[in-house]
Amino acid sequence: MSHIILINGKKQTKLSVFNRLVQFGDGLFETCLIVDQKLLLAEAHFQRLEKGAKRLKIAPVSRSIWIKEISRAVVMAKLDRAVVKIILSRGETSRGYGYDKSITPTRIIIVSKVPDLPNDYSLSLCDSGYATNQLLSEIKHCNRLEQILARTHLKTQECIMLDPQAQVISATQGNIFAFKNGVLLTPGLSECGIEGTRRQMIIELARGLGISVEICRLSVAELLACDEIFISNSVMGIKPVRQINEQKYSQHQLTTQLQNTLNEYLLKRENFTLLKPKKSSLKGWLVLALGLFVAWSLWANKINTVESTVYQVPQGATIYSTADSLKRHGLVNSAQFVVWAAKALGVGNSLKSGYYDVGTNTSVLSLLDDFSNARVATRTVTLVEGQTVQEYYQLLSQSPSLASSLSFAQVLQQSGAKAPYDGKFWPDTYRVNYADSVLSVFNRSHVLLQEKLSEAWKNRAKDLPLDSANQALVLASLIERETANNAEKSQISGVFINRLKKNMRLQTDPTVVYALGDAYQGKLSKQDLWFKSPYNTYRHKGLPPGPIGSVGQESLHAAMHPLQTDDVYFVAKKDGTHAFAKTYKQHLLNIKKYLK
C-alpha cells in the first residue's frame, strides 16, 4: 500500500472541516523513520512533540497510545522501511480562533514508503524566509506556509531559508551545517526555525569525535566560504551539499565521518523503540477466560487521576514499596497488578528514583516504563533579558518545579560567578528536572554566559576600544536596558563608543535607575541624576564598574560590533525607537520634537 492513515486509532482518511488542523493549521507533527520495526530516536521525537504541546497548550497524548497506533499502522503497511508522520491536532471547534480548554485532541498517523533521495544536494536561496517568533521557534507546528512560499519557484533540489536579518537558518526540509577549518557551524534557532531531532544528535556526536561545535549567527557569505556543507532531517539523515548557486563543494571528508557515526548511533538499542505488535493466537475455548483477564487488566492498568500530578519514587524504593505507595495515594486500583506488571516487563529491579509526571492518559504500564527508564518530570524556566540577579532568584525560588534550600547569598557564592553578580547569568529557557535546585539553574546560566561572552569577544570588531570581555558585557547591559529594538542596538552601541572615545560621560538613565534600586519611584528627577553611586554615568565618566542587568544575544553582539557613525546623542521617541544626533544643537531639537 502507498499510504496507511489512522485517525484516532481508526483506519480512515476523512477529517472534519471543523477540525482546527484544517481551519488554522492548529497542531504539531513529527516525521519519523522506521527500519525493521525500529522507531528511530523515538525519545527525541516524543520529547519535541510534548514540548510543542506544552508550548501551544494542546492536551497531551500518552506515548503508549502513539506507540500502539504506530505499531498497528506499520503492520498494516507491510513495509520494512517506512516514514511515519505523527500529527497532533488541537481538535474540533466551530469557526473562530477561540477554543474550549477541555477540547479533545485529534491523533493522526500516516505511514508511507521511504522516498528515493539523492546522495547529495544542490542548493539556492529561497524566495522568502522566516519571520521571528520565539513561541513558534524550534517546535514543529503544522503551519508550514513559510516553507511553501520559500519553495514556490524552486530551481534546485533544496533552498536556504533566512531570517529577517538575512542570517542563514535552515533548508526548507532540514537543518543546515557547515565545516570551516575543522569547526562545525550551525545556526542558532532561538528566534525561528525548527530544531530537528537529528540536529542535537549531530552536535553531540561531533563533540564526541573531538570536533569543535559553534552554534552561531551565519550569513550567506560566511556559509559560502565554508569548506564542507551538509543538511539533515529525520528521513534523509545527513546529506552533503555539492553546490550552492555557482559555488561548488567537492570536499566531504568530515561530513562522511559524521554520516557514518550517525548511522551507527541510530541502530544502538537505546536510540530506538522496538515496535512489537501483538499477534493473536488464542483458541476459542480461551476467549472467555482471556476476556475476563483483559477486563481486569484494563481496570488494574488504569491510573486514577482527574488532573496531571507529580509522583516521587524515593531513593532505595522497591517495586513492592512503590506499588503500596501508589495504592495509598489512590493512583492505582491494584498494588498486586503493579508488581506483576513490573516483573512481566522485567523492570522490577530497575526503578529509578526521581519525580515523575502522572497524567490523565497515563497507564500503569507506561508509568513503570517511565520509572525504569528514568523519564523524570521536566519543566522549563525562562530567564528574561535585562533583569537583575535578584529578580532571577525571586523567579526561580518561587517556581513550584524547583527546590529552594539556599539563601540568595548562598546561591551566588556557590554559582561560580564573581561579584558583582548582575549580568553574569545568561537569559534563556532552561529545561530542568522537577525538584532540581535553584542553584543548578544559576550554575548552568553562568557557564552559558561565559561561553557566549568568550565567543563574542573572540569575534569582536578589530578596532573595539574596550580592554576586556567584561567591559563589553557592561556595555551590552547598558544597551539592553536602553532599548528593546534590536535594529537600533548597534547604533546605540556606536553612540556609547563615540562618547567613550571623546571622554564624554555616557549619561544613560538606566544606570541611575539601577543605582537608585528600591528608591526609584518610576520617574527620574533632576536630583536623581546626581545620586552618588559609581554606577551613575551622569556623575562618572567611562563604564560603570559592572553590568546593570543580564544581556541577550542581540545586545552582546551590538556591544562587540558597534555601528560606525558620528552620532554622540540619542533621545527616545514615543514609538519605541530613538532619534540620533551628531551635535548638541540637533539633540536639543530632537528633544523638543519628541519629548515635549
Side-chain angles (χ1 to χ4, degrees):
M1 295 184 182
S2 58
H3 297 286
I4 292 295
I5 302 173
L6 301 182
I7 301 177
N8 291 330
K10 297 180 180 179
K11 186 180 178 183
Q12 54 184 311
T13 59
K14 295 180 181 179
L15 195 65
S16 169
V17 296
F18 291 107
N19 196 288
R20 293 179 66 87
L21 188 68
V22 177
Q23 294 191 75
F24 312 113
D26 187 4
L28 303 154
F29 74 100
E30 293 289 327
T31 305
C32 314
L33 189 63
I34 290 183
V35 179
D36 298 327
Q37 301 295 316
K38 301 180 182 73
L39 179 59
L40 303 185
L41 288 186
E43 178 67 15
H45 282 293
F46 284 124
Q47 281 188 0
R48 184 171 63 178
L49 185 65
E50 290 160 3
K51 173 183 178 179
K54 290 180 180 179
R55 182 90 59 86
L56 299 184
K57 294 181 173 57
I58 297 176
V61 173
S62 170
R63 294 185 185 185
S64 61
I65 293 176
W66 287 120
I67 293 294
K68 177 182 178 182
E69 294 179 357
I70 292 170
S71 298
R72 181 175 173 229
V74 170
V75 169
M76 294 169 68
K78 299 179 180 178
L79 294 171
D80 293 329
R81 290 175 57 84
V83 176
V84 177
K85 190 167 187 178
I86 303 170
I87 303 175
L88 175 62
S89 165
R90 193 181 301 277
E92 292 185 20
T93 62
S94 57
R95 62 179 305 278
Y97 294 127
Y99 59 90
D100 190 329
K101 292 184 179 179
S102 63
I103 184 173
T104 301
T106 302
R107 309 181 309 279
I108 303 173
I109 302 290
I110 304 174
V111 177
S112 312
K113 284 181 58 179
V114 176
D116 292 328
L117 298 172
N119 293 325
D120 53 25
Y121 279 73
S122 65
L123 274 60
S124 58
L125 292 183
C126 297
D127 282 356
S128 63
Y130 288 104
T132 57
N133 188 326
Q134 290 185 344
L135 287 176
L136 295 180
S137 65
E138 302 178 344
I139 65 174
K140 206 163 185 179
H141 56 84
C142 289
N143 186 337
R144 300 287 94 195
L145 286 177
E146 287 177 326
Q147 280 74 11
I148 292 171
L149 291 173
R151 294 174 67 93
T152 300
H153 302 294
L154 186 65
K155 296 179 181 179
T156 53
Q157 293 162 304
E158 251 291 4
C159 61
I160 301 169
M161 296 183 68
L162 309 179
D163 69 8
Q165 285 74 46
Q167 299 294 304
V168 172
I169 297 298
S170 70
T172 64
Q173 299 182 100
N175 294 120
I176 193 164
F177 299 80
F179 284 103
K180 181 67 175 177
N181 298 327
V183 177
L184 182 62
L185 310 176
T186 191
L189 304 175
S190 61
E191 298 289 337
C192 58
I194 299 169
E195 184 172 12
T197 54
R198 301 308 188 264
R199 179 175 182 268
Q200 191 58 40
M201 296 299 102
I202 291 170
I203 291 172
E204 293 175 4
L205 291 174
R207 288 171 173 159
L209 292 171
I211 298 172
S212 296
V213 180
E214 291 186 10
I215 300 172
C216 58
R217 292 168 61 86
L218 195 64
S219 68
V220 175
E222 289 169 336
L223 177 67
L224 291 175
C226 287
D227 306 316
E228 299 182 40
I229 300 172
F230 64 90
I231 57 177
S232 174
N233 67 25
S234 59
V235 176
M236 71 171 62
I238 290 176
K239 293 291 184 182
V241 172
R242 68 174 182 275
Q243 185 171 349
I244 300 178
N245 292 336
E246 303 302 319
Q247 179 73 36
K248 295 184 178 180
Y249 302 89
S250 59
Q251 181 178 333
H252 307 300
Q253 181 179 357
L254 291 174
T255 299
T256 301
Q257 183 183 11
L258 262 182
Q259 196 175 39
N260 294 334
T261 303
L262 177 63
N263 291 337
E264 294 173 1
Y265 178 82
L266 292 175
L267 295 179
K268 291 183 178 180
R269 181 63 186 89
E270 64 269 24
N271 298 323
F272 63 80
T273 293
L274 186 62
L275 305 176
K276 296 181 179 180
K278 297 180 180 179
K279 298 182 180 179
S280 175
S281 60
L282 298 176
K283 304 299 181 181
W285 59 273
L286 290 175
V287 172
L288 180 59
L290 179 60
L292 292 173
F293 176 76
V294 168
W296 178 81
S297 296
L298 290 174
W299 171 81
N301 192 38
K302 181 182 178 182
I303 292 290
N304 298 320
T305 181
V306 295
E307 60 182 5
S308 295
T309 186
V310 176
Y311 175 79
Q312 182 187 13
V313 177
Q315 191 75 31
T318 66
I319 186 58
Y320 300 101
S321 65
T322 300
D324 290 340
S325 174
L326 289 169
K327 187 67 172 67
R328 286 197 310 274
H329 282 82
L331 291 173
V332 299
N333 293 317
S334 169
Q336 187 62 60
F337 177 81
V338 176
V339 175
W340 287 349
K343 291 184 176 180
L345 294 172
V347 300
N349 296 321
S350 59
L351 303 187
K352 308 296 192 302
S353 62
Y355 292 83
Y356 294 84
D357 280 321
V358 182
T360 55
N361 290 323
T362 306
S363 66
V364 169
L365 297 180
S366 64
L367 192 59
L368 288 172
D369 189 49
D370 288 345
F371 290 170
S372 63
N373 288 289
R375 296 192 188 96
V376 295
T378 62
R379 300 290 187 269
T380 58
V381 291
T382 300
L383 305 182
V384 179
E385 295 92 337
Q387 293 191 336
T388 64
V389 68
Q390 176 73 52
E391 290 171 317
Y392 283 170
Y393 177 78
Q394 290 176 349
L395 171 72
L396 296 176
S397 61
Q398 292 170 5
S399 171
S401 307
L402 296 172
S404 178
S405 59
L406 299 178
S407 68
F408 178 52
Q410 289 172 325
V411 166
L412 293 181
Q413 290 169 2
Q414 298 181 35
S415 67
K418 295 181 179 180
Y421 296 104
D422 278 318
K424 303 298 178 61
F425 302 91
W426 186 254
D428 205 344
T429 296
Y430 296 89
R431 178 163 290 278
V432 299
N433 290 343
Y434 191 92
D436 274 357
S437 68
V438 169
L439 176 61
S440 69
V441 181
F442 272 96
N443 286 338
R444 290 169 59 188
S445 179
H446 177 59
V447 169
L448 189 54
L449 180 281
Q450 291 177 305
E451 293 174 357
K452 297 282 187 180
L453 182 59
S454 176
E455 179 183 357
W457 182 250
K458 181 175 63 176
N459 297 315
R460 68 190 183 278
K462 293 182 179 179
D463 58 346
L464 195 66
L466 299 175
D467 296 332
S468 66
N470 186 64
Q471 284 192 345
L473 183 64
V474 175
L475 176 60
S477 74
L478 305 186
I479 298 167
E480 187 71 57
R481 294 293 293 272
E482 274 289 358
T483 183
N485 188 335
N486 289 335
E488 288 189 343
K489 287 184 175 180
S490 291
Q491 192 169 3
I492 287 177
S493 177
V495 171
F496 286 145
I497 290 295
N498 288 341
R499 294 179 77 91
L500 288 172
K501 288 180 177 179
K502 293 175 181 290
N503 200 29
M504 297 172 66
R505 291 183 177 87
L506 295 182
Q507 294 184 325
T508 175
D509 290 356
T511 61
V512 182
V513 174
Y514 180 81
L516 287 170
D518 293 339
Y520 176 60
Q521 299 299 313
K523 186 176 182 181
L524 291 176
S525 65
K526 290 184 178 180
Q527 183 179 359
D528 290 335
L529 299 182
W530 293 102
F531 182 75
K532 290 185 178 180
S533 168
Y535 282 87
N536 185 348
T537 56
Y538 279 85
R539 291 181 62 97
H540 302 283
K541 292 182 179 180
L543 293 166
I548 61 173
S550 65
V551 305
Q553 186 66 53
E554 293 295 336
S555 296
L556 187 59
H557 182 267
M560 303 293 186
H561 301 275
L563 188 66
Q564 294 185 358
T565 69
D566 295 328
D567 297 327
V568 289
Y569 300 97
F570 62 84
V571 64
K573 296 191 283 187
K574 294 181 179 179
D575 62 357
T577 63
H578 293 78
F580 294 83
K582 298 179 179 63
T583 66
Y584 187 62
K585 180 178 179 180
Q586 181 61 49
H587 181 55
L588 292 177
L589 292 175
N590 286 340
I591 292 174
K592 182 177 181 181
K593 180 177 179 180
Y594 295 110
L595 296 185
K596 296 183 178 180

